């Protein structure tokens, strides 16, 4: 069991080097990726972006249910903010 804990701790240390030392709240890195991919976001159908501190999951569920009830195609993508890896 101790070997597994050591392995997990070592893996977490490796992951930490990919974590920026300061919070970067700009979209600059994402815009570079999108441009590299040929800006596929510009070809998206109408999109609703739900942001904020609390209630994103339930708000998204309500919007999705309403859109589907109206006969629209709905796709949902969520991106959680990780505080800890484990």
């Amino acid at each position: 069991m101790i070997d597994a804990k050591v392995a997990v701790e070592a893996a977490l240390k490796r992951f930490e080097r990919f974590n920026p030392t300061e919070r970067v709240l700009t979209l600059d890195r994402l815009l570079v990726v999108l441009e590299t991919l040929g800006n596929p976001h510009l070809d998206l159908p109408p999109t609703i972006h739900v942001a904020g501190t609390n209630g994103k999951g339930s708000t998204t569920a309500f919007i999705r249910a309403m859109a589907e009830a109206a006969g629209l195609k709905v796709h949902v993508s969520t991106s959680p903010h990780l505080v800890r890896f484990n």
Side-chain angles (χ1 to χ4, degrees), residues 47-82:
T47 303
I48 298 172
H49 179 184
V50 180
T53 304
N54 295 313
K56 292 179 294 294
S58 57
T59 300
T60 301
F62 285 124
I63 293 170
R64 181 180 194 167
M66 288 185 287
E68 288 177 339
L72 299 172
K73 275 196 216 178
V74 178
H75 304 278
V76 174
S77 175
T78 60
S79 178
H81 173 74
L82 296 177

